[in-house]
Amino acid sequence: MGSSRSSLRRVPDGQQLLQETGFSAAVLLRLHQRFQFLDKDSRGHLRSEDLEAELSENPMGDRIVGAFFQPGQETVDFPSFVRVLAHFRPTEKNRTRGGEQPEPANSRNRKLKFAFQLYDRDRDGKISRTELLQVLREMLGLQVTEEQLQSIAERAIQEADLDRDHAICFDEFRKVGPVRLPEPQHVAVGLLLHQEGMARCSLNIQRKCDLCHFHLWN
Amino acid sequence: MELFFNPFDNLLCILLGISFTVWFTLLLVFIIVPAIFGVSFGIRRLYMKTLLKIFEWATLRIERGAKEKNHHLYKPYSNAIIAREPTSLEEEIKEIRRSGSNKDLDSVSEFEMSDIFYFARRGVESIMDDEVTKRFSAEELESWNLLTRSNNNFHYISLRLTVLWWLGLLIRYGILLPLRVTLAFTGVSLLVFLTSLIGLLQNGRMKNVLSEKVHLMCYRICVRALTAIITYHDSENKPKNGGICVANHTSPIDVIILASDGCYAMVGQIHGGLMGVIQRSMVKACPHIWFERSEVKDRHLVAKRLSNHVQDKSKLPILIFPEGTCINNTSVMMFKKGSFDIGATVYPVAIKYDPRFGDAFWNSSKFGMVSYLLRMMSSWAIVCSVWYLPPMSREEGEDAVQFANRVKSAIARKGGLVDLLWDGGLKREKVKDTFKEEQQKLYSKMLVGTQEDRSRS
């Protein structure tokens, strides 16, 4: 029992993060639990190794991990961790924005900026041909030849590069970026996990669950 | 004060005496005697039905109450910040592109800058919510089974619900818990006592028969001590002598559940204390395989002892849990290959607990053994199903790992559990490269087609 507000005290900068990121208290708590789980030695901050383990399945794992760390920093604490994740919250449609309010993390602009920085590793404000090639190589691995890679990169730059400087700056990136960005969805999940989908086991008193065929009794 | 108590003193004693007698007679008649003979009055099933009705009502009340007050119901599992919808890479990337520029999407075989969003989102999903580790934390329920330990929503919703909860608390801790503790105590002490007695007999048929009866009886009492309502399926496949029984592992109770329906030789490390006493007395009645702590590391020795036991057809089938650790009963982790290397027939068994009544998962990093047992005994009931699968043997050209995986899939399929490839003893080792390659293959297939397509064009 007890409201989640009281347990927010354990979360560093809890109240501030609530306002800044727009996460609900419940989600913030959950993220904190997750942070603590990832932080195996309970140091209070994460290193890149802690995150890399989760992303070993992702072809762009290292890159995504890098996005969490500020340039030159080797550790990320919980507030920074949450601020990065806030980029992935669903965009709110009708926000009344005063001029002085800082742009929320999940605005379209900020999301695009995040994605741009995934490409632009050296943070010079442009995606060069080399950087694009690197990303493509990561996404495609050894499945394509060097020539194919080059031609894909060439086409992409030609399409996007409007000022003909053989690099893609943020404004150009914004124009080719998607209008609606993919967001993690909230979905009600069921009682029993089943293969890859989530199945709901009904509470009706019957012999078998309709979906997972778990025998209730004979 | 003393004057006040004196006349009631005698009365009190008499009352206490009577109630104790009644209590123990009831206990004996309704629980211990059936346990000895292996029959059942069906009280537990009736109990289960009643409980389900009450849970349903309670859940509806909570949901209704939450809606009225516009509370956001913190459903822990569905507040899994993300839901993994099983869409394919291609679909998702199409979705991203579709929402983007005004180009027509008749062919997906062109790289778009926005494709990176797919990988970024997947990556962040993995960081936020790890599917594998969920296996290790208790399965979280959507309905409420009147145990606050499984509910984060319990704000004050309605008087009736609170009253019900208090009533439930009273019943569980005041009536059920003492009853169960008494039974457990009886069961364990009977086990120790009787097996030591049997140990005095000469080896022979009589001893085996008696030992079987005694083991079964004591385990049945323990089953009642936990109010475990077990349904056994396909009992014709029950493990026979000279075989190895393999099952998925959720909690130490698995042993009691299986052993109350058949006799097994247990395998394990010798502990000190009460466990040690139980182990030592059990081994007097029939041969179990207990290892000293130093021997456990020596795989060769372990394998040798196991195979010796298995070859002797007069000895009971061995019970092994190859996952090596307790998993939270939503999936089956990788089986360790040791027991599959011996060459005996394997009898797989799938155990699935119904989470609505009480969470049987033992999170050994969170709870010690005693607090775990107390939790078990103060839940409503433990309902589970046991499926005996047909025996399997290692085939020609199959190595131990493949055999283990085959058995694992069979168990997962039968029990409705997810078959995971990860190691149950999950240290954060680097997952093999093949997963990454899979993703890369899928994406490149989308962009440039497969080798065959390319050679055709």
Side-chain angles (χ1 to χ4, degrees), chain B residues 383-412:
Chain B
V383 181
C384 62
S385 271
V386 173
W387 284 273
Y388 292 105
L389 285 92
M392 294 173 143
S393 314
R394 194 158 91 180
E395 280 162 16
E396 294 269 338
E398 208 183 20
D399 71 345
V401 179
Q402 290 167 336
F403 182 36
N405 282 331
R406 194 158 58 92
V407 173
K408 178 167 76 87
S409 324
I411 292 185

PDB file of all heavy atoms in Angstrom, chain B residues 383-412:
ATOM      1  N   VAL B 383      -1.504 -23.585  -6.915  1.00  0.00           N
ATOM      2  CA  VAL B 383      -2.182 -24.437  -7.880  1.00  0.00           C
ATOM      3  C   VAL B 383      -1.231 -24.685  -9.030  1.00  0.00           C
ATOM      4  O   VAL B 383      -0.659 -23.758  -9.579  1.00  0.00           O
ATOM      5  CB  VAL B 383      -3.447 -23.728  -8.413  1.00  0.00           C
ATOM      6  CG1 VAL B 383      -4.157 -24.608  -9.395  1.00  0.00           C
ATOM      7  CG2 VAL B 383      -4.350 -23.378  -7.251  1.00  0.00           C
ATOM      8  N   CYS B 384      -1.061 -25.935  -9.376  1.00  0.00           N
ATOM      9  CA  CYS B 384      -0.162 -26.186 -10.488  1.00  0.00           C
ATOM     10  C   CYS B 384      -0.585 -27.412 -11.261  1.00  0.00           C
ATOM     11  O   CYS B 384      -1.400 -28.208 -10.805  1.00  0.00           O
ATOM     12  CB  CYS B 384       1.277 -26.321 -10.014  1.00  0.00           C
ATOM     13  SG  CYS B 384       1.511 -27.687  -8.925  1.00  0.00           S
ATOM     14  N   SER B 385      -0.018 -27.515 -12.432  1.00  0.00           N
ATOM     15  CA  SER B 385      -0.259 -28.672 -13.285  1.00  0.00           C
ATOM     16  C   SER B 385       1.059 -29.336 -13.577  1.00  0.00           C
ATOM     17  O   SER B 385       2.056 -28.657 -13.818  1.00  0.00           O
ATOM     18  CB  SER B 385      -0.874 -28.238 -14.611  1.00  0.00           C
ATOM     19  OG  SER B 385      -2.255 -28.197 -14.532  1.00  0.00           O
ATOM     20  N   VAL B 386       1.038 -30.643 -13.578  1.00  0.00           N
ATOM     21  CA  VAL B 386       2.244 -31.393 -13.894  1.00  0.00           C
ATOM     22  C   VAL B 386       1.938 -32.276 -15.094  1.00  0.00           C
ATOM     23  O   VAL B 386       0.959 -33.013 -15.098  1.00  0.00           O
ATOM     24  CB  VAL B 386       2.666 -32.271 -12.698  1.00  0.00           C
ATOM     25  CG1 VAL B 386       3.816 -33.162 -13.081  1.00  0.00           C
ATOM     26  CG2 VAL B 386       3.044 -31.402 -11.525  1.00  0.00           C
ATOM     27  N   TRP B 387       2.753 -32.153 -16.112  1.00  0.00           N
ATOM     28  CA  TRP B 387       2.584 -33.025 -17.275  1.00  0.00           C
ATOM     29  C   TRP B 387       3.766 -33.989 -17.353  1.00  0.00           C
ATOM     30  O   TRP B 387       4.916 -33.547 -17.354  1.00  0.00           O
ATOM     31  CB  TRP B 387       2.588 -32.194 -18.567  1.00  0.00           C
ATOM     32  CG  TRP B 387       1.342 -31.445 -18.823  1.00  0.00           C
ATOM     33  CD1 TRP B 387       0.229 -31.884 -19.467  1.00  0.00           C
ATOM     34  CD2 TRP B 387       1.073 -30.091 -18.475  1.00  0.00           C
ATOM     35  NE1 TRP B 387      -0.707 -30.897 -19.540  1.00  0.00           N
ATOM     36  CE2 TRP B 387      -0.217 -29.786 -18.930  1.00  0.00           C
ATOM     37  CE3 TRP B 387       1.804 -29.092 -17.823  1.00  0.00           C
ATOM     38  CZ2 TRP B 387      -0.804 -28.535 -18.757  1.00  0.00           C
ATOM     39  CZ3 TRP B 387       1.227 -27.846 -17.651  1.00  0.00           C
ATOM     40  CH2 TRP B 387      -0.068 -27.585 -18.118  1.00  0.00           C
ATOM     41  N   TYR B 388       3.463 -35.253 -17.455  1.00  0.00           N
ATOM     42  CA  TYR B 388       4.532 -36.224 -17.689  1.00  0.00           C
ATOM     43  C   TYR B 388       4.662 -36.425 -19.191  1.00  0.00           C
ATOM     44  O   TYR B 388       3.709 -36.845 -19.844  1.00  0.00           O
ATOM     45  CB  TYR B 388       4.195 -37.560 -17.036  1.00  0.00           C
ATOM     46  CG  TYR B 388       4.187 -37.516 -15.533  1.00  0.00           C
ATOM     47  CD1 TYR B 388       2.988 -37.524 -14.821  1.00  0.00           C
ATOM     48  CD2 TYR B 388       5.376 -37.497 -14.808  1.00  0.00           C
ATOM     49  CE1 TYR B 388       2.984 -37.496 -13.446  1.00  0.00           C
ATOM     50  CE2 TYR B 388       5.376 -37.467 -13.433  1.00  0.00           C
ATOM     51  CZ  TYR B 388       4.175 -37.462 -12.753  1.00  0.00           C
ATOM     52  OH  TYR B 388       4.166 -37.440 -11.383  1.00  0.00           O
ATOM     53  N   LEU B 389       5.815 -36.151 -19.717  1.00  0.00           N
ATOM     54  CA  LEU B 389       5.967 -36.342 -21.157  1.00  0.00           C
ATOM     55  C   LEU B 389       6.548 -37.716 -21.453  1.00  0.00           C
ATOM     56  O   LEU B 389       7.216 -38.304 -20.606  1.00  0.00           O
ATOM     57  CB  LEU B 389       6.892 -35.265 -21.723  1.00  0.00           C
ATOM     58  CG  LEU B 389       6.251 -33.892 -21.830  1.00  0.00           C
ATOM     59  CD1 LEU B 389       6.509 -33.099 -20.587  1.00  0.00           C
ATOM     60  CD2 LEU B 389       6.816 -33.158 -23.019  1.00  0.00           C
ATOM     61  N   PRO B 390       6.332 -38.217 -22.666  1.00  0.00           N
ATOM     62  CA  PRO B 390       6.867 -39.539 -23.003  1.00  0.00           C
ATOM     63  C   PRO B 390       8.390 -39.516 -22.979  1.00  0.00           C
ATOM     64  O   PRO B 390       9.009 -38.495 -23.241  1.00  0.00           O
ATOM     65  CB  PRO B 390       6.354 -39.798 -24.422  1.00  0.00           C
ATOM     66  CG  PRO B 390       5.730 -38.557 -24.873  1.00  0.00           C
ATOM     67  CD  PRO B 390       5.492 -37.670 -23.720  1.00  0.00           C
ATOM     68  N   PRO B 391       8.997 -40.652 -22.650  1.00  0.00           N
ATOM     69  CA  PRO B 391      10.454 -40.696 -22.475  1.00  0.00           C
ATOM     70  C   PRO B 391      11.201 -40.376 -23.761  1.00  0.00           C
ATOM     71  O   PRO B 391      10.732 -40.657 -24.854  1.00  0.00           O
ATOM     72  CB  PRO B 391      10.722 -42.139 -22.031  1.00  0.00           C
ATOM     73  CG  PRO B 391       9.516 -42.899 -22.406  1.00  0.00           C
ATOM     74  CD  PRO B 391       8.379 -41.958 -22.377  1.00  0.00           C
ATOM     75  N   MET B 392      12.374 -39.797 -23.582  1.00  0.00           N
ATOM     76  CA  MET B 392      13.209 -39.464 -24.741  1.00  0.00           C
ATOM     77  C   MET B 392      14.596 -40.031 -24.523  1.00  0.00           C
ATOM     78  O   MET B 392      15.086 -40.068 -23.396  1.00  0.00           O
ATOM     79  CB  MET B 392      13.358 -37.952 -24.872  1.00  0.00           C
ATOM     80  CG  MET B 392      12.098 -37.221 -25.193  1.00  0.00           C
ATOM     81  SD  MET B 392      12.443 -35.468 -25.103  1.00  0.00           S
ATOM     82  CE  MET B 392      11.453 -34.879 -26.405  1.00  0.00           C
ATOM     83  N   SER B 393      15.208 -40.439 -25.623  1.00  0.00           N
ATOM     84  CA  SER B 393      16.606 -40.870 -25.515  1.00  0.00           C
ATOM     85  C   SER B 393      17.433 -40.113 -26.523  1.00  0.00           C
ATOM     86  O   SER B 393      16.914 -39.585 -27.503  1.00  0.00           O
ATOM     87  CB  SER B 393      16.754 -42.352 -25.814  1.00  0.00           C
ATOM     88  OG  SER B 393      15.787 -43.085 -25.152  1.00  0.00           O
ATOM     89  N   ARG B 394      18.722 -40.114 -26.260  1.00  0.00           N
ATOM     90  CA  ARG B 394      19.606 -39.431 -27.184  1.00  0.00           C
ATOM     91  C   ARG B 394      19.685 -40.218 -28.484  1.00  0.00           C
ATOM     92  O   ARG B 394      19.861 -41.433 -28.481  1.00  0.00           O
ATOM     93  CB  ARG B 394      20.984 -39.312 -26.563  1.00  0.00           C
ATOM     94  CG  ARG B 394      21.843 -38.332 -27.298  1.00  0.00           C
ATOM     95  CD  ARG B 394      22.934 -37.857 -26.413  1.00  0.00           C
ATOM     96  NE  ARG B 394      24.107 -38.687 -26.543  1.00  0.00           N
ATOM     97  CZ  ARG B 394      25.222 -38.499 -25.872  1.00  0.00           C
ATOM     98  NH1 ARG B 394      25.290 -37.534 -25.005  1.00  0.00           N
ATOM     99  NH2 ARG B 394      26.249 -39.276 -26.045  1.00  0.00           N
ATOM    100  N   GLU B 395      19.558 -39.471 -29.582  1.00  0.00           N
ATOM    101  CA  GLU B 395      19.569 -40.174 -30.858  1.00  0.00           C
ATOM    102  C   GLU B 395      20.974 -40.237 -31.426  1.00  0.00           C
ATOM    103  O   GLU B 395      21.877 -39.582 -30.950  1.00  0.00           O
ATOM    104  CB  GLU B 395      18.661 -39.446 -31.847  1.00  0.00           C
ATOM    105  CG  GLU B 395      17.195 -39.781 -31.634  1.00  0.00           C
ATOM    106  CD  GLU B 395      16.298 -38.755 -32.289  1.00  0.00           C
ATOM    107  OE1 GLU B 395      16.815 -37.995 -33.126  1.00  0.00           O
ATOM    108  OE2 GLU B 395      15.111 -38.734 -31.972  1.00  0.00           O
ATOM    109  N   GLU B 396      21.082 -41.009 -32.517  1.00  0.00           N
ATOM    110  CA  GLU B 396      22.369 -41.140 -33.190  1.00  0.00           C
ATOM    111  C   GLU B 396      22.826 -39.780 -33.674  1.00  0.00           C
ATOM    112  O   GLU B 396      22.062 -39.048 -34.270  1.00  0.00           O
ATOM    113  CB  GLU B 396      22.219 -42.039 -34.423  1.00  0.00           C
ATOM    114  CG  GLU B 396      21.885 -43.478 -34.113  1.00  0.00           C
ATOM    115  CD  GLU B 396      23.138 -44.311 -33.977  1.00  0.00           C
ATOM    116  OE1 GLU B 396      24.180 -43.903 -34.508  1.00  0.00           O
ATOM    117  OE2 GLU B 396      23.067 -45.366 -33.327  1.00  0.00           O
ATOM    118  N   GLY B 397      24.074 -39.497 -33.461  1.00  0.00           N
ATOM    119  CA  GLY B 397      24.620 -38.271 -34.021  1.00  0.00           C
ATOM    120  C   GLY B 397      24.160 -36.998 -33.331  1.00  0.00           C
ATOM    121  O   GLY B 397      24.401 -35.894 -33.797  1.00  0.00           O
ATOM    122  N   GLU B 398      23.502 -37.163 -32.209  1.00  0.00           N
ATOM    123  CA  GLU B 398      23.062 -35.976 -31.486  1.00  0.00           C
ATOM    124  C   GLU B 398      23.992 -35.804 -30.296  1.00  0.00           C
ATOM    125  O   GLU B 398      24.220 -36.756 -29.558  1.00  0.00           O
ATOM    126  CB  GLU B 398      21.636 -36.233 -30.985  1.00  0.00           C
ATOM    127  CG  GLU B 398      20.798 -34.980 -30.821  1.00  0.00           C
ATOM    128  CD  GLU B 398      19.424 -35.301 -30.245  1.00  0.00           C
ATOM    129  OE1 GLU B 398      19.283 -36.381 -29.636  1.00  0.00           O
ATOM    130  OE2 GLU B 398      18.509 -34.501 -30.394  1.00  0.00           O
ATOM    131  N   ASP B 399      24.483 -34.597 -30.091  1.00  0.00           N
ATOM    132  CA  ASP B 399      25.324 -34.467 -28.905  1.00  0.00           C
ATOM    133  C   ASP B 399      24.486 -34.009 -27.715  1.00  0.00           C
ATOM    134  O   ASP B 399      23.304 -33.710 -27.855  1.00  0.00           O
ATOM    135  CB  ASP B 399      26.504 -33.524 -29.176  1.00  0.00           C
ATOM    136  CG  ASP B 399      26.050 -32.080 -29.293  1.00  0.00           C
ATOM    137  OD1 ASP B 399      24.840 -31.841 -29.447  1.00  0.00           O
ATOM    138  OD2 ASP B 399      26.915 -31.193 -29.246  1.00  0.00           O
ATOM    139  N   ALA B 400      25.125 -33.942 -26.564  1.00  0.00           N
ATOM    140  CA  ALA B 400      24.359 -33.709 -25.336  1.00  0.00           C
ATOM    141  C   ALA B 400      23.596 -32.394 -25.384  1.00  0.00           C
ATOM    142  O   ALA B 400      22.461 -32.299 -24.920  1.00  0.00           O
ATOM    143  CB  ALA B 400      25.296 -33.737 -24.126  1.00  0.00           C
ATOM    144  N   VAL B 401      24.232 -31.374 -25.957  1.00  0.00           N
ATOM    145  CA  VAL B 401      23.576 -30.057 -25.982  1.00  0.00           C
ATOM    146  C   VAL B 401      22.312 -30.078 -26.824  1.00  0.00           C
ATOM    147  O   VAL B 401      21.267 -29.558 -26.435  1.00  0.00           O
ATOM    148  CB  VAL B 401      24.556 -29.001 -26.531  1.00  0.00           C
ATOM    149  CG1 VAL B 401      23.883 -27.658 -26.587  1.00  0.00           C
ATOM    150  CG2 VAL B 401      25.793 -28.928 -25.666  1.00  0.00           C
ATOM    151  N   GLN B 402      22.411 -30.727 -27.988  1.00  0.00           N
ATOM    152  CA  GLN B 402      21.226 -30.789 -28.846  1.00  0.00           C
ATOM    153  C   GLN B 402      20.114 -31.577 -28.190  1.00  0.00           C
ATOM    154  O   GLN B 402      18.937 -31.214 -28.263  1.00  0.00           O
ATOM    155  CB  GLN B 402      21.582 -31.431 -30.189  1.00  0.00           C
ATOM    156  CG  GLN B 402      22.456 -30.542 -31.033  1.00  0.00           C
ATOM    157  CD  GLN B 402      23.048 -31.305 -32.196  1.00  0.00           C
ATOM    158  OE1 GLN B 402      23.183 -32.525 -32.145  1.00  0.00           O
ATOM    159  NE2 GLN B 402      23.393 -30.593 -33.237  1.00  0.00           N
ATOM    160  N   PHE B 403      20.516 -32.669 -27.546  1.00  0.00           N
ATOM    161  CA  PHE B 403      19.530 -33.477 -26.846  1.00  0.00           C
ATOM    162  C   PHE B 403      18.859 -32.648 -25.760  1.00  0.00           C
ATOM    163  O   PHE B 403      17.628 -32.643 -25.623  1.00  0.00           O
ATOM    164  CB  PHE B 403      20.228 -34.702 -26.259  1.00  0.00           C
ATOM    165  CG  PHE B 403      19.320 -35.646 -25.540  1.00  0.00           C
ATOM    166  CD1 PHE B 403      18.030 -35.880 -25.987  1.00  0.00           C
ATOM    167  CD2 PHE B 403      19.748 -36.321 -24.407  1.00  0.00           C
ATOM    168  CE1 PHE B 403      17.185 -36.760 -25.332  1.00  0.00           C
ATOM    169  CE2 PHE B 403      18.917 -37.204 -23.739  1.00  0.00           C
ATOM    170  CZ  PHE B 403      17.640 -37.419 -24.197  1.00  0.00           C
ATOM    171  N   ALA B 404      19.686 -31.914 -24.998  1.00  0.00           N
ATOM    172  CA  ALA B 404      19.132 -31.080 -23.929  1.00  0.00           C
ATOM    173  C   ALA B 404      18.144 -30.072 -24.488  1.00  0.00           C
ATOM    174  O   ALA B 404      17.075 -29.840 -23.925  1.00  0.00           O
ATOM    175  CB  ALA B 404      20.258 -30.366 -23.184  1.00  0.00           C
ATOM    176  N   ASN B 405      18.504 -29.475 -25.625  1.00  0.00           N
ATOM    177  CA  ASN B 405      17.605 -28.486 -26.211  1.00  0.00           C
ATOM    178  C   ASN B 405      16.310 -29.108 -26.695  1.00  0.00           C
ATOM    179  O   ASN B 405      15.243 -28.509 -26.602  1.00  0.00           O
ATOM    180  CB  ASN B 405      18.293 -27.760 -27.373  1.00  0.00           C
ATOM    181  CG  ASN B 405      19.250 -26.706 -26.876  1.00  0.00           C
ATOM    182  OD1 ASN B 405      19.052 -26.147 -25.801  1.00  0.00           O
ATOM    183  ND2 ASN B 405      20.290 -26.439 -27.626  1.00  0.00           N
ATOM    184  N   ARG B 406      16.419 -30.316 -27.188  1.00  0.00           N
ATOM    185  CA  ARG B 406      15.213 -30.988 -27.666  1.00  0.00           C
ATOM    186  C   ARG B 406      14.260 -31.238 -26.496  1.00  0.00           C
ATOM    187  O   ARG B 406      13.049 -30.992 -26.582  1.00  0.00           O
ATOM    188  CB  ARG B 406      15.611 -32.315 -28.318  1.00  0.00           C
ATOM    189  CG  ARG B 406      14.514 -32.941 -29.150  1.00  0.00           C
ATOM    190  CD  ARG B 406      15.095 -33.900 -30.158  1.00  0.00           C
ATOM    191  NE  ARG B 406      15.875 -34.971 -29.548  1.00  0.00           N
ATOM    192  CZ  ARG B 406      15.378 -36.165 -29.200  1.00  0.00           C
ATOM    193  NH1 ARG B 406      14.112 -36.413 -29.395  1.00  0.00           N
ATOM    194  NH2 ARG B 406      16.158 -37.067 -28.643  1.00  0.00           N
ATOM    195  N   VAL B 407      14.825 -31.716 -25.409  1.00  0.00           N
ATOM    196  CA  VAL B 407      14.000 -31.967 -24.225  1.00  0.00           C
ATOM    197  C   VAL B 407      13.403 -30.671 -23.720  1.00  0.00           C
ATOM    198  O   VAL B 407      12.230 -30.593 -23.360  1.00  0.00           O
ATOM    199  CB  VAL B 407      14.859 -32.625 -23.123  1.00  0.00           C
ATOM    200  CG1 VAL B 407      14.081 -32.736 -21.837  1.00  0.00           C
ATOM    201  CG2 VAL B 407      15.336 -33.985 -23.557  1.00  0.00           C
ATOM    202  N   LYS B 408      14.217 -29.643 -23.744  1.00  0.00           N
ATOM    203  CA  LYS B 408      13.744 -28.346 -23.259  1.00  0.00           C
ATOM    204  C   LYS B 408      12.567 -27.841 -24.071  1.00  0.00           C
ATOM    205  O   LYS B 408      11.591 -27.329 -23.518  1.00  0.00           O
ATOM    206  CB  LYS B 408      14.903 -27.345 -23.320  1.00  0.00           C
ATOM    207  CG  LYS B 408      14.516 -25.956 -22.889  1.00  0.00           C
ATOM    208  CD  LYS B 408      15.758 -25.129 -22.664  1.00  0.00           C
ATOM    209  CE  LYS B 408      16.407 -24.690 -23.925  1.00  0.00           C
ATOM    210  NZ  LYS B 408      15.864 -23.439 -24.419  1.00  0.00           N
ATOM    211  N   SER B 409      12.641 -27.967 -25.400  1.00  0.00           N
ATOM    212  CA  SER B 409      11.516 -27.490 -26.212  1.00  0.00           C
ATOM    213  C   SER B 409      10.261 -28.283 -25.921  1.00  0.00           C
ATOM    214  O   SER B 409       9.169 -27.734 -25.878  1.00  0.00           O
ATOM    215  CB  SER B 409      11.802 -27.614 -27.705  1.00  0.00           C
ATOM    216  OG  SER B 409      13.122 -27.353 -27.966  1.00  0.00           O
ATOM    217  N   ALA B 410      10.453 -29.593 -25.725  1.00  0.00           N
ATOM    218  CA  ALA B 410       9.269 -30.410 -25.443  1.00  0.00           C
ATOM    219  C   ALA B 410       8.603 -29.949 -24.161  1.00  0.00           C
ATOM    220  O   ALA B 410       7.380 -29.810 -24.090  1.00  0.00           O
ATOM    221  CB  ALA B 410       9.664 -31.884 -25.348  1.00  0.00           C
ATOM    222  N   ILE B 411       9.417 -29.678 -23.153  1.00  0.00           N
ATOM    223  CA  ILE B 411       8.860 -29.248 -21.871  1.00  0.00           C
ATOM    224  C   ILE B 411       8.186 -27.883 -22.024  1.00  0.00           C
ATOM    225  O   ILE B 411       7.083 -27.659 -21.533  1.00  0.00           O
ATOM    226  CB  ILE B 411       9.966 -29.186 -20.798  1.00  0.00           C
ATOM    227  CG1 ILE B 411      10.461 -30.575 -20.474  1.00  0.00           C
ATOM    228  CG2 ILE B 411       9.455 -28.499 -19.551  1.00  0.00           C
ATOM    229  CD1 ILE B 411      11.448 -30.623 -19.352  1.00  0.00           C
ATOM    230  N   ALA B 412       8.867 -26.982 -22.725  1.00  0.00           N
ATOM    231  CA  ALA B 412       8.310 -25.632 -22.874  1.00  0.00           C
ATOM    232  C   ALA B 412       6.978 -25.676 -23.612  1.00  0.00           C
ATOM    233  O   ALA B 412       6.015 -25.027 -23.222  1.00  0.00           O
ATOM    234  CB  ALA B 412       9.301 -24.755 -23.623  1.00  0.00           C
TER     235      ALA B 412
END
